[in-house]
Amino acid sequence: MTNTGLLAPLSGTDAVAAHLGDTAWVRALLDVEVALSRAAARYALVRPDDAEEVAAAADRLATDPDVPGELAAEAVEGGNPVIPLARLLRKAAGGASGAVHPGATSQDVMDTALVLLVRRAAPTVLTDLRAVADAAARLAAAHRDTPTIARTLGQQALPTTFGLVAAGWAAGLDAAARELAVRVDALPVQFGGAAGTLAASHPHGPAVADAVADLLGLAPQGVPWHTERTRIGTLAGALGVAAGACAKPATDVVLLSQTEVGEVSEAAPGDSSSMPHKRNPIAAITARASARRAPGLVATLLAAMDHEHQRAAGAWHAEWGTLTDLLAVTGGAAARLRTSLEGLQVHPEAMRRNLALTTEGEPDTGHAGELVDRILEAR
């Protein structure tokens, strides 16, 4: 699971993880249950007064510090926390207990709660992604014409400009942020009932599903997607690509900060416990560390897309912690890279020195400046 406590600030995952913890899960699950009751009330499947009693009971449970632990312990029996949650909510609702969980199955609540968590955590990730893209764009504009050496296959190649290097970072980060925003916004409600036929809400099933989506601010589902997991797969891909877009500039910063290269340095480099001369690019290093965790998590989510029949036995369960971890590490990579690039110090004199190793006279940087302009204008 996602690093918390001691390691969370180091990995950058703390801001995103705050939206994904036990309390956030309980709140999201209860929000779905309340929306189900209110949507059912719109179509006279439950009494409106009872739906509001359910909402009041949910508010009480959401602030009860014992509920997360109780759900965790009791979830073992049924394989998910929705079963004990519905039991607790019915008890808390008293005479309105018949309005709890109308027409739904556990996966409806769990999937929709997970969508809510993604929607609530994603703005933090996107804010940092966009901010780090802006930081890269500022570096590109400031160093549009600053000559430096391009490196291919680890060796010096031809002259370029540092502005074009940074503009490439910005382009990748911008593209990743746009795609992630599209995938997050498209996440729909889940409401299908026991076998995905909406039988328990007939004849109002599709209308109730749309009402739940409306109440929660989610996209409508069209049809239930209990075992059709392309939405989770494409979201995983977008998160993985975003982590990779962060890893690219982080890797460049680490390499360009090497003592014998010295072309950039972080504003607040890290020290060493045994070597006082060290000036480690810690923000870029920890951005890489978070990003390195993303591909394995993406692979797990893609491998879990083979949900069998109308309800998966294990593949569905594998998604919950994996997706929240992927959100956290992608957010961590973006947050730590933002720290790195917003304070990045560029050393043109070192770039000139390194250029002289393979380049004589005034360096020909080709169309680098024009390419920078094109990338920045396209943002």
Side-chain angles (χ1 to χ4, degrees):
M1 297 296 288
T2 300
N3 290 336
T4 57
L6 179 66
L7 299 180
L10 172 64
S11 64
T13 59
D14 48 336
V16 180
H19 298 284
L20 303 172
D22 292 347
T23 300
W25 261 111
V26 171
R27 181 71 267 181
L29 292 166
L30 289 167
D31 286 346
V32 177
E33 290 287 4
V34 170
L36 285 168
S37 297
R38 285 174 168 162
R42 288 188 182 182
Y43 295 93
L45 297 174
V46 305
R47 294 176 58 243
D49 289 348
D50 286 350
E52 294 312 307
E53 284 294 327
V54 171
D59 285 339
R60 293 193 295 273
L61 290 177
T63 58
D64 186 338
D66 295 329
V67 167
E70 187 173 346
L71 293 181
E74 295 185 11
V76 176
E77 179 183 350
N80 71 73
V82 177
I83 296 170
L85 178 79
R87 201 157 49 229
L88 275 178
L89 189 54
R90 287 187 177 108
K91 181 179 178 181
S97 61
V100 173
H101 206 66
T105 192
S106 297
Q107 186 168 356
D108 294 332
V109 179
M110 200 70 185
D111 277 354
T112 305
L114 184 58
V115 166
L116 285 178
L117 287 179
V118 172
R119 293 287 296 267
R120 292 167 181 176
T124 300
V125 181
L126 288 166
T127 294
D128 282 332
L129 274 175
R130 290 164 177 152
V132 76
D134 289 344
R138 288 193 295 272
L139 288 167
H143 295 281
R144 176 187 184 275
D145 301 311
T146 301
T148 191
I149 192 69
R151 295 173 173 90
T152 62
L153 305 182
Q155 303 292 305
Q156 289 205 349
L158 295 174
T160 183
T161 71
F162 184 69
L164 185 55
V165 172
W169 299 344
L173 291 160
D174 280 334
R178 286 193 297 268
E179 178 65 12
L180 180 56
V182 167
R183 296 304 174 188
V184 170
D185 288 345
L187 290 173
V189 72
Q190 172 78 278
F191 184 63
T197 64
L198 295 166
S201 301
H202 188 269
H204 303 294
V208 171
D210 289 345
V212 175
D214 178 58
L215 288 164
L216 294 174
L218 301 178
Q221 67 179 7
V223 297
W225 47 282
H226 287 154
T227 54
E228 194 281 282
R229 309 306 280 184
T230 53
R231 296 166 180 85
I232 301 298
T234 54
L235 174 63
L239 286 165
V241 166
C246 293
K248 159 58 180 169
T251 299
D252 283 352
V253 168
V254 169
L255 294 174
L256 295 174
S257 298
Q258 289 178 291
T259 305
E260 57 269 39
V261 178
E263 294 180 359
V264 302
S265 58
E266 290 185 348
D271 55 13
S272 166
S273 64
S274 60
M275 296 172 284
H277 64 280
K278 295 287 292 298
R279 295 294 180 267
N280 300 314
I282 291 298
I285 288 168
T286 50
R288 291 186 80 199
S290 281
R292 285 284 180 96
R293 294 179 60 195
L297 296 166
V298 174
T300 297
L301 289 166
L302 294 180
M305 287 181 64
D306 60 337
H307 288 214
E308 67 277 12
H309 299 306
Q310 283 66 58
R311 186 67 46 78
W316 171 51
H317 305 72
E319 291 175 348
W320 313 330
T322 306
L323 183 54
T324 53
D325 277 3
L326 180 55
L327 270 165
V329 299
T330 302
R336 297 302 288 143
L337 182 63
R338 179 178 181 178
T339 297
S340 178
L341 293 196
E342 286 188 340
L344 196 69
Q345 298 175 355
V346 180
H347 307 300
E349 68 284 359
M351 294 176 180
R352 287 193 295 272
R353 180 195 69 218
N354 293 332
L355 265 169
L357 296 175
T358 54
T359 302
E360 295 183 0
E362 189 67 22
D364 180 4
T365 59
H367 294 284
E370 297 170 40
L371 295 174
V372 171
D373 294 341
R374 288 190 178 193
I375 292 170
L376 297 184
E377 288 168 5
R379 297 189 74 224

